[in-house]
Amino acid sequence: MDLDTSVDLWIRRLGNDSLLQPLWNSLRLNYRDYLRSPLFPVVLTVSSYFVLCLPFLLCDIMGEKWAWVQQFKIQPSRRPTASTLLHCAGVTLYNHVFLVLPASVAQWAWRPPVDLPDQAPSLLELIAGCLGGWELVTVGFWTTLNPVILRCHLLTTWAFMVLHVYVSIEDHCGYDFPWSTSRLIPFGIYGGPSKHDVHHQKPNTNFAPHFSHWDKIFGTHADFSFSTGMKKNI
């Protein structure tokens, strides 16, 4: 089998409508009422946040015991304390209970949940929906208007929410690993944890949470090496 045939076969499998159907059927038939609840987006994002934070939290707890990990720490001298971690968790819960939850309920009242579709999206559609460029332009409307405008499948919307939670965590994790998203996306168009760390030190730079094209266009882009006391990546 030549390379072209293999690539064509792989693309066809991604576009297969039945690949995600068993998963969608299980969710739709067994958890219908939960999935249609205005509480579901809140539960999904909060639970995703704490689960996806665990690997980075473990890196901080282990500290110098994991020297091979510490070489990728952006600011080696900064160590989060237990009180800092508890404060972060408290702020996260507060924001979701008093900001995200009311917004979800308001959205549910404005646009009551529709019936769950019988057909699942193809894996290719789900991936394309999570990586849509327009969603990256309008950050503030990711979980509200964009799924309506782009007519995303609910499964795609939920997958995108989890992906957005992860990249937000990665931006604030304090580590710039070789497998970080900014290292995997070419041409330096993605900011990543090092450049976002500069934003917290120099708030008038690197406004973009992820892709950095607007910062480069409007002159607010700053490289992480410009920041005093920051470690050059290995």
Side-chain angles (χ1 to χ4, degrees):
M1 183 180 295
D2 58 26
L3 179 60
D4 291 339
T5 303
S6 299
V7 171
D8 183 64
L9 181 60
W10 182 74
I11 293 176
R12 287 184 180 181
R13 288 176 177 174
L14 285 179
N16 188 347
D17 291 338
S18 64
L19 193 60
L20 294 175
Q21 196 63 46
L23 171 63
W24 180 243
N25 286 341
S26 177
L27 293 173
R28 180 174 58 89
L29 298 176
N30 298 321
Y31 305 99
R32 174 186 175 86
D33 292 336
Y34 297 105
L35 298 180
R36 298 179 78 246
S37 169
L39 294 176
F40 178 73
V42 180
V43 173
L44 178 64
T45 53
V46 171
S47 59
S48 299
Y49 175 85
F50 285 108
V51 170
L52 295 174
C53 275
L54 289 178
F56 303 110
L57 177 61
L58 186 60
C59 290
D60 281 332
I61 292 176
M62 296 304 295
E64 296 299 334
K65 295 180 181 178
W66 284 359
W68 65 275
V69 170
Q70 298 307 309
Q71 65 179 316
F72 302 111
K73 191 170 179 61
I74 298 173
Q75 299 189 52
S77 62
R78 301 294 298 272
R79 299 289 177 186
T81 63
S83 60
T84 301
L85 296 175
L86 290 174
H87 174 73
C88 179
V91 170
T92 299
L93 289 175
Y94 177 89
N95 288 339
H96 279 82
V97 171
F98 293 101
L99 298 176
V100 178
L101 178 58
S104 298
V105 174
Q107 180 184 354
W108 174 78
W110 169 60
R111 189 174 65 91
V114 297
D115 288 335
L116 302 179
D118 295 336
Q119 189 70 27
S122 69
L123 185 57
L124 187 60
E125 290 173 341
L126 187 144
I127 295 174
C130 290
L131 302 178
W134 289 110
E135 289 166 323
L136 301 171
V137 174
T138 54
V139 178
F141 300 99
W142 276 3
T143 58
T144 54
L145 293 183
N146 273 327
V148 178
I149 296 173
L150 299 178
R151 298 182 179 180
C152 291
H153 193 281
L154 286 173
L155 190 59
T156 303
T157 302
W158 298 331
F160 181 77
M161 291 172 65
V162 175
L163 174 65
H164 178 48
V165 168
Y166 171 75
V167 293
S168 298
I169 291 172
E170 186 183 64
D171 269 356
H172 297 88
C173 70
Y175 295 88
D176 197 352
F177 293 110
W179 55 85
S180 294
T181 309
S182 56
R183 303 297 189 97
L184 301 178
I185 297 178
F187 310 119
I189 62 175
Y190 191 90
S194 292
K195 290 184 179 179
H196 193 70
D197 194 88
V198 176
H199 170 72
H200 286 279
Q201 298 187 48
K202 299 180 178 181
N204 291 326
T205 64
N206 295 356
F207 290 98
H210 310 306
F211 285 84
S212 57
H213 55 286
W214 289 120
D215 282 312
K216 292 180 179 179
I217 291 173
F218 291 103
T220 55
H221 177 268
D223 188 77
F224 70 92
S225 61
F226 295 163
S227 181
T228 305
M230 294 188 67
K231 178 182 176 182
K232 266 284 189 179
N233 286 52
I234 297 175

